[in-house]
Amino acid sequence: SLSLDVQAAFDGDPAAQHTDETIFCYPGIRALWMHRVAHALYKRSVPLIPRIISEHAHELTGIDIHPGATIGESFFIDHGTGVVIGETTVIGNHCKVYQGVTLGARSFERDASGELKRNLKRHPTLGNKVTVYAGATILGGDTTIGDACVIAGGVFLVRSVDAGHTVRGPKAAVRFNENREDFS
């Protein structure tokens, strides 16, 4: 599984000169190998240790992956800083996310006494071959992104997307103002 992540990083980044570079220099690879260990322990109901591993990875890389998140093969986190992947997130095979992506919860349900309901699907599901660009936020346990979708940078998404679509937000208006100061 880890070798597939390494290959995905190498294949997904033209700046990478060798797979060794992705192993030793890419924070996404470090976060992923720690996540894969933490996730295996989490699935076996080992208490506390999976969370300690994930928090250590977060401290080292700036990438926050809950050990309960299910991540498929050949996953690549490019750059990585600020990535958040929640506990009940499911990510398919051959997916890629960029820095600042959040796969999070939309809200937290409460029971009649006001206590948080636990063990509910709160985070999104990504199909296979999904790319999520920098700064995008996808929220909600009922939000599913279909296979081969592209989510553009800066998109805020709280609804499902059928397979094979690209989601973009409105284009930003760009203004150029002449500098009035001489910086020479």
Side-chain angles (χ1 to χ4, degrees), residues 57-153:
H58 184 199
E59 179 181 17
L60 291 173
T61 66
I63 299 168
D64 184 359
I65 308 173
H66 191 284
T70 301
I71 299 175
E73 295 179 345
S74 299
F75 184 54
F76 178 36
I77 301 171
D78 200 357
H79 301 288
T81 303
V83 168
V84 176
I85 301 173
E87 178 185 21
T88 61
T89 300
V90 176
I91 298 174
N93 298 322
H94 306 286
C95 292
K96 182 191 308 189
V97 301
Y98 287 80
Q99 69 274 10
V101 166
T102 298
L103 303 175
R106 184 174 17 217
S107 61
F108 304 110
E109 289 187 44
R110 296 184 180 273
D111 63 21
S113 64
E115 297 294 317
L116 286 176
K117 288 184 178 180
R118 301 185 189 281
N119 304 315
L120 299 174
K121 175 98 168 91
R122 301 181 311 280
H123 305 92
T125 297
L126 305 184
N128 298 315
K129 298 182 180 179
V130 172
T131 300
V132 184
Y133 283 100
T137 299
I138 304 171
L139 303 179
D142 58 349
T143 303
T144 299
I145 308 303
D147 293 347
C149 282
V150 175
I151 309 303

